[in-house]
Amino acid sequence: MPQPAPATETLREIIASARNLVFFGGAGVSTESGIPDFRSPDGLYAAQTAYGYRPEGILSIDFFEARPDVFFDYYVHNILHLDAQPNAAHRALAQLEDRGVLSAVVTQNIDGLHQLAGSRTVHELHGSVLRNHCRECGTPHDVAEVVAGASTPDAVPRCRRCGGVVRPDVVLYGEVLDPQVVSAAVDAIRTADVLIVGGTSLVVHPAAGLVNCFRGDRLVLINKEATPHDSAADLVIRAPIGQVLGAAALRE
Ligand code: ZN
């Protein structure tokens, strides 16, 4: 058997000593499940060439209201990845929760993969593509109805009860985060003794502010690139998150 890298061994020790571990993750957690970051250079290029707008423009509430047909075309083809499966990072976090080590996952992702892996306490800062509701009457709709509605002649999913436009429970640009979700995420991070941050560069709001709420003993950062918090961390690992967390925490 190959010897584990020293950083992985240190992470294993930190996890073993944790009493109340919280994980905070970003887009990098899902890239190993084949979900590209729409803000990456490739994602940016794809949106610009196919639609003539930046992803942040299309995914804004103003754009949604003005051109829901274009929004849903982009959304269904670039944001929804309904065949994606959890990777080793998702599985490791679900196991840590089962073992009573991890108390919560805070995520910026909207793909529902943590829950698919078995995680139960997941604070989804930006919502979830798997939940959708009618803007007029609030009736919930599942994501299959959104996909089906986006391929109708007017290219907009409509409520089966009232005909109103159905939208994803995803925080669009220009909208505020759900204060209850933020509050639950802050509470989880503030009371954690170990915080593992992964797959996020921690430069975008609200990620940076949330990490500043941490008062615990050990801060671990796992990201392919440097982050502004690296100097404050007890352990920094520059490697793919699935590989690292899987090696440190997964029990087969
Ligand atoms: Zn309705």
Side-chain angles (χ1 to χ4, degrees), residues 25-31 35-47 54-57 59 74 78-79 108-111 126 171 173 199-201 203-207:
V29 176
S30 289
T31 49
I35 299 182
D37 184 355
F38 63 82
R39 289 150 298 202
S40 68
D42 283 353
L44 203 73
Y45 180 80
R54 295 172 62 85
E56 294 91 337
L59 295 170
Y74 173 76
N78 295 273
I79 302 298
Q108 299 175 276
N109 299 334
I110 56 176
D111 48 48
H126 295 154
V171 180
Y173 288 90
T200 167
S201 53
V203 289
V204 189
H205 176 80

Short mmCIF file of all heavy atoms in Angstrom, two decimals, residues 25-31 35-47 54-57 59 74 78-79 108-111 126 171 173 199-201 203-207:
data_model
loop_
_atom_site.label_atom_id
_atom_site.label_comp_id
_atom_site.label_asym_id
_atom_site.label_seq_id
_atom_site.Cartn_x
_atom_site.Cartn_y
_atom_site.Cartn_z
N GLY A 25 -18.04 24.27 1.71
CA GLY A 25 -17.55 23.94 0.38
C GLY A 25 -18.08 24.83 -0.73
O GLY A 25 -19.14 25.44 -0.62
N GLY A 26 -17.30 24.86 -1.81
CA GLY A 26 -17.68 25.62 -2.99
C GLY A 26 -17.66 24.77 -4.25
O GLY A 26 -17.67 23.53 -4.17
N ALA A 27 -17.61 25.43 -5.38
CA ALA A 27 -17.76 24.76 -6.68
C ALA A 27 -16.77 23.62 -6.88
O ALA A 27 -17.10 22.62 -7.52
CB ALA A 27 -17.61 25.79 -7.80
N GLY A 28 -15.56 23.76 -6.31
CA GLY A 28 -14.54 22.72 -6.48
C GLY A 28 -14.95 21.36 -5.95
O GLY A 28 -14.41 20.33 -6.35
N VAL A 29 -15.92 21.34 -5.01
CA VAL A 29 -16.38 20.06 -4.48
C VAL A 29 -17.13 19.28 -5.56
O VAL A 29 -17.10 18.05 -5.60
CB VAL A 29 -17.28 20.28 -3.24
CG1 VAL A 29 -17.85 18.97 -2.73
CG2 VAL A 29 -16.49 20.98 -2.14
N SER A 30 -17.82 20.00 -6.44
CA SER A 30 -18.64 19.32 -7.44
C SER A 30 -17.93 19.12 -8.78
O SER A 30 -18.41 18.33 -9.60
CB SER A 30 -19.93 20.11 -7.68
OG SER A 30 -20.78 20.00 -6.55
N THR A 31 -16.80 19.79 -9.00
CA THR A 31 -16.13 19.61 -10.30
C THR A 31 -15.69 18.16 -10.47
O THR A 31 -15.69 17.65 -11.59
CB THR A 31 -14.93 20.57 -10.47
OG1 THR A 31 -14.12 20.49 -9.31
CG2 THR A 31 -15.38 21.99 -10.66
N ILE A 35 -19.32 18.43 -12.71
CA ILE A 35 -20.10 19.66 -12.81
C ILE A 35 -19.13 20.83 -12.93
O ILE A 35 -18.45 21.18 -11.95
CB ILE A 35 -21.01 19.84 -11.58
CG1 ILE A 35 -22.00 18.66 -11.49
CG2 ILE A 35 -21.74 21.19 -11.63
CD1 ILE A 35 -22.98 18.75 -10.34
N PRO A 36 -19.03 21.42 -14.12
CA PRO A 36 -18.07 22.51 -14.27
C PRO A 36 -18.53 23.77 -13.56
O PRO A 36 -19.72 23.98 -13.36
CB PRO A 36 -18.01 22.72 -15.79
CG PRO A 36 -19.31 22.21 -16.30
CD PRO A 36 -19.79 21.15 -15.35
N ASP A 37 -17.59 24.59 -13.17
CA ASP A 37 -17.90 25.88 -12.55
C ASP A 37 -18.26 26.85 -13.67
O ASP A 37 -17.43 27.15 -14.51
CB ASP A 37 -16.67 26.37 -11.77
CG ASP A 37 -16.95 27.67 -11.02
OD1 ASP A 37 -18.06 28.23 -11.18
OD2 ASP A 37 -16.05 28.10 -10.29
N PHE A 38 -19.51 27.35 -13.65
CA PHE A 38 -19.92 28.23 -14.75
C PHE A 38 -19.15 29.55 -14.75
O PHE A 38 -19.15 30.27 -15.73
CB PHE A 38 -21.44 28.47 -14.74
CG PHE A 38 -21.96 29.18 -13.51
CD1 PHE A 38 -21.88 30.57 -13.40
CD2 PHE A 38 -22.53 28.47 -12.47
CE1 PHE A 38 -22.37 31.22 -12.28
CE2 PHE A 38 -23.01 29.12 -11.34
CZ PHE A 38 -22.92 30.48 -11.24
N ARG A 39 -18.48 29.86 -13.61
CA ARG A 39 -17.68 31.09 -13.56
C ARG A 39 -16.24 30.88 -14.03
O ARG A 39 -15.46 31.82 -14.08
CB ARG A 39 -17.64 31.64 -12.12
CG ARG A 39 -18.97 32.22 -11.66
CD ARG A 39 -19.13 32.06 -10.18
NE ARG A 39 -19.14 30.64 -9.83
CZ ARG A 39 -19.66 30.15 -8.71
NH1 ARG A 39 -20.18 30.96 -7.83
NH2 ARG A 39 -19.65 28.86 -8.47
N SER A 40 -15.90 29.62 -14.38
CA SER A 40 -14.54 29.35 -14.86
C SER A 40 -14.37 29.99 -16.25
O SER A 40 -15.36 30.33 -16.90
CB SER A 40 -14.33 27.85 -14.96
OG SER A 40 -15.15 27.32 -16.00
N PRO A 41 -13.12 30.12 -16.72
CA PRO A 41 -12.92 30.69 -18.07
C PRO A 41 -13.70 29.93 -19.15
O PRO A 41 -14.29 30.55 -20.04
CB PRO A 41 -11.41 30.56 -18.27
CG PRO A 41 -10.84 30.60 -16.88
CD PRO A 41 -11.85 29.92 -16.00
N ASP A 42 -13.75 28.60 -19.07
CA ASP A 42 -14.51 27.82 -20.06
C ASP A 42 -16.00 28.13 -19.99
O ASP A 42 -16.67 28.27 -21.01
CB ASP A 42 -14.31 26.32 -19.82
CG ASP A 42 -12.96 25.84 -20.31
OD1 ASP A 42 -12.25 26.64 -20.95
OD2 ASP A 42 -12.62 24.67 -20.03
N GLY A 43 -16.52 28.21 -18.77
CA GLY A 43 -17.94 28.50 -18.59
C GLY A 43 -18.31 29.88 -19.11
O GLY A 43 -19.34 30.08 -19.74
N LEU A 44 -17.41 30.81 -18.84
CA LEU A 44 -17.59 32.18 -19.29
C LEU A 44 -17.62 32.25 -20.81
O LEU A 44 -18.50 32.86 -21.42
CB LEU A 44 -16.40 33.00 -18.77
CG LEU A 44 -16.56 34.49 -18.63
CD1 LEU A 44 -17.45 34.79 -17.44
CD2 LEU A 44 -15.19 35.13 -18.42
N TYR A 45 -16.68 31.54 -21.43
CA TYR A 45 -16.57 31.54 -22.88
C TYR A 45 -17.82 30.92 -23.51
O TYR A 45 -18.38 31.44 -24.47
CB TYR A 45 -15.31 30.76 -23.29
CG TYR A 45 -15.10 30.69 -24.77
CD1 TYR A 45 -14.55 31.78 -25.46
CD2 TYR A 45 -15.46 29.55 -25.48
CE1 TYR A 45 -14.39 31.71 -26.83
CE2 TYR A 45 -15.29 29.47 -26.85
CZ TYR A 45 -14.76 30.56 -27.51
OH TYR A 45 -14.59 30.51 -28.87
N ALA A 46 -18.26 29.80 -22.93
CA ALA A 46 -19.44 29.10 -23.47
C ALA A 46 -20.67 30.01 -23.44
O ALA A 46 -21.44 30.08 -24.40
CB ALA A 46 -19.70 27.82 -22.68
N ALA A 47 -20.85 30.73 -22.33
CA ALA A 47 -22.02 31.60 -22.21
C ALA A 47 -21.92 32.77 -23.19
O ALA A 47 -22.90 33.12 -23.87
CB ALA A 47 -22.13 32.12 -20.77
N ARG A 54 -22.54 37.29 -20.16
CA ARG A 54 -21.79 36.58 -19.13
C ARG A 54 -22.75 35.74 -18.29
O ARG A 54 -23.93 36.08 -18.17
CB ARG A 54 -21.10 37.60 -18.19
CG ARG A 54 -20.06 38.45 -18.87
CD ARG A 54 -19.58 39.54 -17.92
NE ARG A 54 -18.95 38.98 -16.73
CZ ARG A 54 -17.67 38.63 -16.67
NH1 ARG A 54 -16.90 38.77 -17.72
NH2 ARG A 54 -17.16 38.13 -15.56
N PRO A 55 -22.25 34.62 -17.71
CA PRO A 55 -23.15 33.79 -16.88
C PRO A 55 -23.84 34.59 -15.79
O PRO A 55 -25.04 34.39 -15.53
CB PRO A 55 -22.19 32.76 -16.27
CG PRO A 55 -21.02 32.71 -17.19
CD PRO A 55 -20.88 34.07 -17.79
N GLU A 56 -23.11 35.49 -15.15
CA GLU A 56 -23.71 36.28 -14.06
C GLU A 56 -24.85 37.17 -14.58
O GLU A 56 -25.76 37.50 -13.83
CB GLU A 56 -22.66 37.17 -13.39
CG GLU A 56 -21.57 36.41 -12.66
CD GLU A 56 -20.37 36.11 -13.55
OE1 GLU A 56 -20.54 36.08 -14.80
OE2 GLU A 56 -19.28 35.87 -13.00
N GLY A 57 -24.77 37.54 -15.85
CA GLY A 57 -25.84 38.34 -16.44
C GLY A 57 -27.09 37.50 -16.66
O GLY A 57 -28.19 37.88 -16.28
N LEU A 59 -27.87 34.70 -15.27
CA LEU A 59 -28.39 34.15 -14.00
C LEU A 59 -28.78 35.24 -13.02
O LEU A 59 -28.71 35.05 -11.81
CB LEU A 59 -27.33 33.22 -13.38
CG LEU A 59 -27.00 31.97 -14.19
CD1 LEU A 59 -25.79 31.26 -13.62
CD2 LEU A 59 -28.20 31.02 -14.26
N TYR A 74 -30.26 28.49 -21.18
CA TYR A 74 -28.92 28.45 -20.59
C TYR A 74 -28.90 27.56 -19.35
O TYR A 74 -28.01 26.72 -19.16
CB TYR A 74 -28.47 29.87 -20.23
CG TYR A 74 -27.16 29.89 -19.47
CD1 TYR A 74 -25.95 29.68 -20.13
CD2 TYR A 74 -27.13 30.11 -18.10
CE1 TYR A 74 -24.75 29.67 -19.44
CE2 TYR A 74 -25.94 30.10 -17.40
CZ TYR A 74 -24.76 29.89 -18.06
OH TYR A 74 -23.57 29.87 -17.37
N ASN A 78 -26.61 24.33 -19.11
CA ASN A 78 -25.31 24.66 -18.52
C ASN A 78 -25.25 24.55 -17.00
O ASN A 78 -24.17 24.38 -16.44
CB ASN A 78 -24.89 26.08 -18.91
CG ASN A 78 -24.65 26.20 -20.40
OD1 ASN A 78 -23.55 25.94 -20.87
ND2 ASN A 78 -25.68 26.56 -21.14
N ILE A 79 -26.38 24.66 -16.35
CA ILE A 79 -26.38 24.65 -14.88
C ILE A 79 -26.89 23.31 -14.34
O ILE A 79 -26.36 22.79 -13.36
CB ILE A 79 -27.24 25.81 -14.33
CG1 ILE A 79 -26.71 27.15 -14.86
CG2 ILE A 79 -27.26 25.80 -12.81
CD1 ILE A 79 -25.29 27.48 -14.45
N GLN A 108 -21.98 26.22 -1.10
CA GLN A 108 -22.36 27.22 -2.09
C GLN A 108 -22.95 26.55 -3.33
O GLN A 108 -23.38 27.23 -4.25
CB GLN A 108 -21.14 28.04 -2.48
CG GLN A 108 -20.54 28.80 -1.31
CD GLN A 108 -19.25 29.50 -1.70
OE1 GLN A 108 -18.17 28.91 -1.70
NE2 GLN A 108 -19.37 30.76 -2.06
N ASN A 109 -22.92 25.22 -3.36
CA ASN A 109 -23.39 24.50 -4.54
C ASN A 109 -24.89 24.29 -4.49
O ASN A 109 -25.50 24.28 -3.43
CB ASN A 109 -22.65 23.16 -4.66
CG ASN A 109 -21.15 23.37 -4.81
OD1 ASN A 109 -20.73 24.43 -5.29
ND2 ASN A 109 -20.36 22.40 -4.41
N ILE A 110 -25.47 24.10 -5.67
CA ILE A 110 -26.92 24.03 -5.80
C ILE A 110 -27.37 22.70 -6.40
O ILE A 110 -28.50 22.57 -6.84
CB ILE A 110 -27.44 25.20 -6.68
CG1 ILE A 110 -26.75 25.20 -8.06
CG2 ILE A 110 -27.22 26.54 -5.98
CD1 ILE A 110 -27.28 26.27 -9.03
N ASP A 111 -26.46 21.71 -6.39
CA ASP A 111 -26.72 20.47 -7.12
C ASP A 111 -27.34 19.35 -6.29
O ASP A 111 -27.71 18.31 -6.83
CB ASP A 111 -25.43 19.97 -7.78
CG ASP A 111 -24.25 19.97 -6.80
OD1 ASP A 111 -24.41 19.45 -5.68
OD2 ASP A 111 -23.19 20.49 -7.17
N HIS A 126 -26.98 28.94 -1.55
CA HIS A 126 -27.51 29.44 -2.82
C HIS A 126 -28.73 28.66 -3.30
O HIS A 126 -29.13 28.78 -4.46
CB HIS A 126 -26.41 29.44 -3.89
CG HIS A 126 -25.29 30.39 -3.57
ND1 HIS A 126 -24.00 30.23 -4.01
CD2 HIS A 126 -25.27 31.51 -2.81
CE1 HIS A 126 -23.25 31.21 -3.56
NE2 HIS A 126 -24.00 32.00 -2.83
N VAL A 171 -30.68 31.13 -5.55
CA VAL A 171 -30.47 32.57 -5.37
C VAL A 171 -29.82 33.12 -6.64
O VAL A 171 -28.70 32.75 -6.98
CB VAL A 171 -29.58 32.85 -4.14
CG1 VAL A 171 -29.39 34.35 -3.97
CG2 VAL A 171 -30.19 32.22 -2.89
N TYR A 173 -28.34 36.19 -9.17
CA TYR A 173 -27.60 37.44 -8.98
C TYR A 173 -28.61 38.59 -8.87
O TYR A 173 -29.59 38.63 -9.60
CB TYR A 173 -26.65 37.68 -10.16
CG TYR A 173 -25.47 36.73 -10.12
CD1 TYR A 173 -25.52 35.50 -10.76
CD2 TYR A 173 -24.32 37.07 -9.41
CE1 TYR A 173 -24.45 34.61 -10.70
CE2 TYR A 173 -23.24 36.19 -9.34
CZ TYR A 173 -23.31 34.97 -9.99
OH TYR A 173 -22.24 34.10 -9.92
N GLY A 199 -12.66 23.55 -1.93
CA GLY A 199 -13.20 23.81 -3.26
C GLY A 199 -13.73 25.21 -3.46
O GLY A 199 -14.60 25.43 -4.30
N THR A 200 -13.21 26.13 -2.69
CA THR A 200 -13.61 27.53 -2.88
C THR A 200 -12.39 28.42 -2.67
O THR A 200 -11.56 28.16 -1.81
CB THR A 200 -14.74 27.95 -1.91
OG1 THR A 200 -14.87 29.38 -1.94
CG2 THR A 200 -14.46 27.52 -0.48
N SER A 201 -12.29 29.46 -3.49
CA SER A 201 -11.15 30.36 -3.38
C SER A 201 -11.38 31.42 -2.30
O SER A 201 -10.49 32.21 -2.01
CB SER A 201 -10.89 31.03 -4.73
OG SER A 201 -12.08 31.62 -5.18
N VAL A 203 -12.94 34.15 -2.16
CA VAL A 203 -12.88 35.57 -2.49
C VAL A 203 -14.27 36.16 -2.73
O VAL A 203 -14.46 37.36 -2.66
CB VAL A 203 -11.98 35.86 -3.73
CG1 VAL A 203 -10.52 35.65 -3.36
CG2 VAL A 203 -12.37 35.01 -4.91
N VAL A 204 -15.25 35.28 -2.98
CA VAL A 204 -16.58 35.78 -3.32
C VAL A 204 -17.44 35.86 -2.06
O VAL A 204 -17.38 34.99 -1.18
CB VAL A 204 -17.26 34.82 -4.33
CG1 VAL A 204 -18.56 35.42 -4.86
CG2 VAL A 204 -16.33 34.53 -5.48
N HIS A 205 -18.22 36.90 -1.96
CA HIS A 205 -19.24 37.00 -0.92
C HIS A 205 -20.23 35.86 -1.08
O HIS A 205 -20.59 35.56 -2.21
CB HIS A 205 -19.95 38.36 -1.06
CG HIS A 205 -21.08 38.53 -0.11
ND1 HIS A 205 -20.90 38.90 1.20
CD2 HIS A 205 -22.42 38.36 -0.27
CE1 HIS A 205 -22.07 38.96 1.80
NE2 HIS A 205 -23.00 38.64 0.94
N PRO A 206 -20.71 35.17 -0.05
CA PRO A 206 -20.46 35.45 1.36
C PRO A 206 -19.37 34.56 1.97
O PRO A 206 -19.23 34.54 3.19
CB PRO A 206 -21.80 35.09 1.99
CG PRO A 206 -22.22 33.88 1.22
CD PRO A 206 -21.70 34.09 -0.19
N ALA A 207 -18.63 33.85 1.13
CA ALA A 207 -17.71 32.84 1.64
C ALA A 207 -16.70 33.43 2.61
O ALA A 207 -16.49 32.91 3.72
CB ALA A 207 -17.00 32.16 0.48
#
